[in-house]
Amino acid sequence: MNIIDLHLHTTASDGQHSPRELAELARQNGNNLIAITDHDTIAGAAEAPSLSDETLTVIPGIELSASEYRQLHILGYNLNSADERLLSLCQSLKEGRDKRKYLLIDFLNSKSIDITLDEVEEIAKGEIIARPHFARAMVKRGDVKTTREAFDLYLDTDEFHKIERNKPTAAECISVIHNAGGVAVWAHPTRLDFDDFQISQLLKELIGWGIDGIESYYSTNTPEESLKYIRLAKKNSLFSTAGSDFHGKKVKPDISIGKWKFAILPFKL
Ligand code: AMP
Ligand code: MN
Ligand code: MN
Ligand code: MN
């Protein structure tokens, strides 16, 4: 039996733990198959081969945010981490984030939070600066009590969302992943808050663009929600994967590394 979790973040993006610490936590948790899926970078995932041993296989992955909807994310697995188109997309997304970080500081300053970029960059250890780094800096400074409060009051508000960063379309995400030899999976469909009709329309589009699988099991899904996506995947000849979206307790206190049992692996390693 494989004990899997195919959606994990590290310090290469907004996770708390380094790839090596994460692999150790997964071993302690009893996993034998995990994937490193950082936002917009394969810097952590590139360490996957050196973290794998006879007890644990670590797959290199990525999570890309698509431009169409706020929570439309595409996971890529088994990527060639030297692929040029993938690296060039990651580079352009990093540049977008580097532009946005100044706007984010200005935004928070305008809300009377006199946070500096240095305070955020002290927490961001990788090349990707993401909103959870700002949230953690705000907790550390005492501006808010929890990262959740930082998102609720500042970082996930309509006003915040006027600050844009460049994002590829879902079709572009899938195409880049395929071009790098990977498989593309629709991440956490339940996070979109769509009704059944909207989900089926979006799935049709994703299938047209070549999506290979759905993250049917997700840490915050109800059993009914997971079953719905398992059925949808089966009906459309897609595979189902399972992922927690673990970021570490300092980033997302409620989410632990998952322990989904898979007799057959969702895709070829
Ligand atoms: P970014 O890609 O920099 O815009 O940041 C997105 C990340 O922020 C997501 O991957 C989550 O880790 C986190 N995030 C987004 N919205 C929320 C929220 N409402 N509460 C907690 N974390 C969130
Ligand atoms: Mn994240
Ligand atoms: Mn996501
Ligand atoms: Mn994620």
Side-chain angles (χ1 to χ4, degrees), residues 7 9 13-15 37-39 63 73 97 130-132 151 191 245-247 251-252:
H7 189 157
H9 294 269
S13 66
D14 54 358
T37 54
D38 278 306
H39 302 284
E63 181 176 22
H73 296 172
R97 285 175 177 279
R131 276 181 279 159
F151 275 94
R191 290 263 299 266
D245 217 351
F246 176 77
H247 284 64
V251 187
K252 295 197 176 186

Side-chain angles (χ1 to χ4, degrees), residues 101 104-105 108 120 129-138 155:
K101 68 186 180 188
L104 264 178
I105 292 291
L108 292 172
V120 181
I129 290 237
R131 276 181 279 159
H133 299 128
F134 288 79
R136 284 169 68 188
M138 289 163 75
L155 299 171

Side-chain angles (χ1 to χ4, degrees), residues 10-15 17-19 38-47 61-64 81 83 86-102 117 120-131 133-134 165:
T10 76
T11 44
S13 66
D14 54 358
H17 304 286
S18 69
D38 278 306
H39 302 284
D40 304 344
T41 178
I42 44 166
E47 288 181 43
I62 197 164
E63 181 176 22
L64 298 168
S81 50
D83 180 81
L86 176 63
L87 289 172
S88 126
L89 173 63
C90 291
Q91 180 58 29
S92 107
L93 295 175
K94 174 182 154 50
E95 284 162 15
R97 285 175 177 279
D98 283 342
K99 274 187 208 143
R100 186 189 65 167
K101 68 186 180 188
Y102 301 105
L117 194 52
V120 181
E121 289 188 328
E122 209 182 292
I123 288 167
K125 299 201 174 67
E127 56 187 31
I128 290 296
I129 290 237
R131 276 181 279 159
H133 299 128
F134 288 79
R165 64 178 179 85

Side-chain angles (χ1 to χ4, degrees), residues 65-70 72 166-170 173:
S65 308
S67 55
E68 285 89 343
Y69 306 103
R70 215 173 270 173
L72 178 56
N166 59 322
K167 287 179 186 164
T169 62
C173 296

Side-chain angles (χ1 to χ4, degrees), residues 19-35:
R20 187 156 293 280
E21 284 165 3
L22 179 71
E24 194 42 45
L25 288 173
R27 274 193 191 86
Q28 287 166 16
N29 192 49
N31 295 84
N32 54 12
L33 179 69
I34 61 166

Side-chain angles (χ1 to χ4, degrees), residues 75-80 174 176-184 212:
L75 293 157
Y77 295 110
N78 267 340
L79 303 155
N80 168 10
I174 296 167
V176 167
I177 289 166
H178 283 166
N179 190 63
V183 296
D212 303 295

Side-chain angles (χ1 to χ4, degrees), residues 11-253:
T11 44
S13 66
D14 54 358
Q16 178 188 340
H17 304 286
S18 69
R20 187 156 293 280
E21 284 165 3
L22 179 71
E24 194 42 45
L25 288 173
R27 274 193 191 86
Q28 287 166 16
N29 192 49
N31 295 84
N32 54 12
L33 179 69
I34 61 166
I36 293 178
T37 54
D38 278 306
H39 302 284
D40 304 344
T41 178
I42 44 166
E47 288 181 43
S50 71
L51 299 173
S52 297
D53 61 17
E54 45 310 321
T55 63
L56 178 72
T57 303
V58 185
I59 324 179
I62 197 164
E63 181 176 22
L64 298 168
S65 308
S67 55
E68 285 89 343
Y69 306 103
R70 215 173 270 173
Q71 288 292 349
L72 178 56
H73 296 172
I74 308 292
L75 293 157
Y77 295 110
N78 267 340
L79 303 155
N80 168 10
S81 50
D83 180 81
E84 271 182 29
R85 217 175 120 203
L86 176 63
L87 289 172
S88 126
L89 173 63
C90 291
Q91 180 58 29
S92 107
L93 295 175
K94 174 182 154 50
E95 284 162 15
R97 285 175 177 279
D98 283 342
K99 274 187 208 143
R100 186 189 65 167
K101 68 186 180 188
Y102 301 105
L103 302 176
L104 264 178
I105 292 291
D106 288 347
F107 170 73
L108 292 172
N109 291 166
S110 79
K111 301 283 168 207
S112 305
I113 291 175
D114 55 355
I115 192 168
T116 64
L117 194 52
D118 281 348
E119 289 172 302
V120 181
E121 289 188 328
E122 209 182 292
I123 288 167
K125 299 201 174 67
E127 56 187 31
I128 290 296
I129 290 237
R131 276 181 279 159
H133 299 128
F134 288 79
R136 284 169 68 188
M138 289 163 75
V139 171
K140 194 170 167 193
R141 288 166 38 84
D143 301 315
V144 287
K145 283 199 190 68
T146 60
T147 52
R148 160 153 293 239
E149 196 182 321
F151 275 94
D152 287 348
L153 295 181
Y154 303 101
L155 299 171
D156 201 10
T157 58
D158 288 342
E159 201 185 347
F160 164 85
H161 285 293
K162 291 194 187 114
I163 305 170
E164 300 280 355
R165 64 178 179 85
N166 59 322
K167 287 179 186 164
T169 62
E172 171 77 356
C173 296
I174 296 167
S175 157
V176 167
I177 289 166
H178 283 166
N179 190 63
V183 296
V185 172
W186 181 14
H188 48 59
T190 42
R191 290 263 299 266
L192 275 146
D193 272 331
F194 275 12
D195 64 28
D196 286 352
F197 178 74
Q198 292 171 305
I199 286 289
S200 72
Q201 291 302 104
L202 178 53
L203 181 59
K204 244 186 240 164
E205 291 196 284
L206 289 166
I207 290 171
W209 298 322
I211 200 83
D212 303 295
I214 304 179
E215 191 176 47
S216 298
Y217 296 96
Y218 186 67
S219 47
T220 57
N221 281 7
T222 63
E224 293 74 26
E225 283 170 332
S226 296
L227 189 62
K228 171 177 137 186
Y229 285 102
I230 289 158
R231 287 188 174 139
L232 261 183
K234 221 176 220 166
K235 196 172 125 194
N236 291 286
S237 304
L238 304 174
F239 55 75
S240 281
T241 68
S244 67
D245 217 351
F246 176 77
H247 284 64
K249 294 290 166 189
K250 274 192 194 165
V251 187
K252 295 197 176 186

